[in-house]
Amino acid sequence: MKLYIISSGKYGSRIVNSLAEMGLASSMVGLEELPEDLPEFIDDFSSHLPKHIPPADLILAVGLYGDINMVVPLIAQKSGAKSVIIPIHDPKQVPPGLQMEIEESAPDVKIVFPKPFCSLEPVGDQFIDQFASQFGKPLLEIESDGLVKKVKVIRTAPCGSTRYIAENIEGFPAEEAELEAGNKLHNYPCNASMTTDPVVGDTILHLAGYQTKEAVKRALGFATRSAVVDHETCEADECQHECIKHCPQVQIGLNTVTLNENQQAVIDPASCGYCEICINECPYGSIEMEEKKFPL
């Protein structure tokens, strides 16, 4: 796979360095660093096109803010790439309207906007999926006998945090591992924004933490905390499924809250980030937080 990267700012540099250190250096056919002080609105973004654009399979744009992201489809066109990843780590980076404009400018190119980058999973595109087999939503294997004995990273967050977390939760009691994984993400530290994203109703840093904890929960085979719906009081016929509409994980494409045969909400303990937003939004008070062992 031939990977061409457009990068800007500290976040972009961190991703580039991390990917190179984790074995992608040989796949990088080009790297363009753009200034981070570019204006949010740009009339002629073509003037920022790199002078030399090599043939590429996948374009990765990291850390770009505002209209400069419109240069990405042009780069894809000139490189021959049909696959593009534009990860979002800050709400101001690529608002929904701009995402639509980028997609409309390149209808023959598959473009994904993972929010955060560590939520990326295969999407049915050859080169995005090849990248996502190694980098994106964390995937772990854990050996445990009550204590976490060994953690194997199958897929790592592109920033490298998963490898750091895996090394630092070994030796912890298994039932404390998911919480400790979230703590270690903050220690790394995660570079995602702590500003509430108006689209998802939560911070992108929190979303990154939810992906990390989910990886630990799934690898252990159980969760220790989750929001739970009381189906005796859940008034599915009356409510507008506010829990689904407001769940941050659902907003980024996960099936954290689904409906059963009675159209009542069911919450997946594996991907529940226990943000408590659904609890606050439920008009009937039918959701509460429970701490117990939830087999997955």
Side-chain angles (χ1 to χ4, degrees):
M1 178 177 65
K2 298 188 290 290
L3 175 65
Y4 185 82
I5 303 179
I6 312 101
S7 170
S8 183
K10 292 181 180 179
Y11 176 83
S13 296
R14 184 178 204 176
I15 295 296
V16 172
N17 292 336
S18 177
L19 293 177
E21 290 171 1
M22 292 189 293
L24 268 192
S26 61
S27 298
M28 297 178 186
V29 296
L31 169 63
E32 183 71 19
E33 294 272 357
L34 297 178
E36 57 180 325
D37 58 352
L38 293 172
E40 183 178 356
F41 302 104
I42 300 173
D43 291 329
D44 183 16
F45 41 79
S46 63
S47 63
H48 295 282
L49 266 176
K51 293 181 179 179
H52 304 289
I53 301 175
D57 300 312
L58 175 64
I59 307 299
L60 173 61
V62 284
L64 280 62
Y65 278 77
D67 282 358
I68 190 58
N69 282 282
M70 288 296 298
V71 81
V72 179
L74 293 178
I75 292 173
Q77 180 182 11
K78 290 185 176 295
S79 70
K82 298 294 183 182
S83 309
V84 171
I85 303 173
I86 306 178
I88 300 174
H89 74 282
D90 188 293
K92 297 179 181 178
Q93 262 187 282
V94 195
L98 181 56
Q99 290 181 34
M100 186 178 301
E101 193 174 350
I102 292 170
E103 290 176 318
E104 290 176 348
S105 71
D108 60 338
V109 177
K110 178 64 175 179
I111 306 175
V112 295
F113 302 89
K115 182 195 296 186
F117 204 172
C118 53
S119 69
L120 177 69
E121 294 186 274
V123 294
D125 175 271
Q126 177 184 354
F127 296 110
I128 293 175
D129 290 1
Q130 186 176 339
F131 181 92
S133 68
Q134 295 179 272
F135 306 100
K137 190 176 175 71
L139 183 62
L140 304 172
E141 288 181 359
I142 296 179
E143 292 182 19
S144 169
D145 61 357
L147 296 178
V148 176
K149 295 176 62 178
K150 184 178 180 180
V151 184
K152 181 180 179 181
V153 178
I154 308 300
R155 180 168 58 213
T156 177
C159 68
S161 61
T162 311
R163 294 176 183 271
Y164 171 82
I165 291 163
E167 293 172 359
N168 285 277
I169 62 172
E170 290 183 355
F172 275 87
E175 293 192 1
E176 297 178 14
E178 77 179 69
L179 179 61
E180 191 58 33
N183 293 336
K184 297 303 181 188
L185 180 70
H186 285 272
N187 293 344
Y188 184 63
C190 177
N191 276 5
S193 172
M194 269 299 289
T195 301
T196 298
D197 186 309
V199 175
V200 300
D202 204 345
T203 74
I204 299 178
L205 177 61
H206 286 164
L207 289 169
Y210 304 157
Q211 312 319 307
T212 295
K213 288 185 284 190
E214 180 181 350
V216 173
K217 289 186 275 189
R218 290 195 184 278
L220 288 170
F222 64 86
T224 59
R225 192 180 185 199
S226 179
V228 176
V229 179
D230 178 359
H231 289 149
E232 292 191 6
T233 61
C234 175
E235 298 288 347
D237 294 336
E238 300 294 332
C239 90
Q240 301 298 312
H241 299 130
E242 299 297 327
C243 50
I244 293 179
K245 291 194 293 186
H246 290 90
C247 174
Q249 294 280 69
V250 171
Q251 297 307 310
I252 63 169
L254 302 182
N255 292 322
T256 301
V257 189
T258 55
L259 299 177
N260 63 15
E261 63 278 5
N262 297 318
Q263 298 301 297
Q264 293 175 308
V266 178
I267 297 174
D268 173 26
S271 59
C272 175
Y274 33 87
C275 62
E276 301 191 8
I277 292 175
C278 60
I279 294 175
N280 296 328
E281 294 294 336
C282 178
Y284 298 100
S286 299
I287 307 175
E288 61 180 19
M289 195 63 60
E290 290 189 10
E291 293 190 18
K292 65 178 186 180
K293 198 166 187 176
F294 294 88
L296 303 178

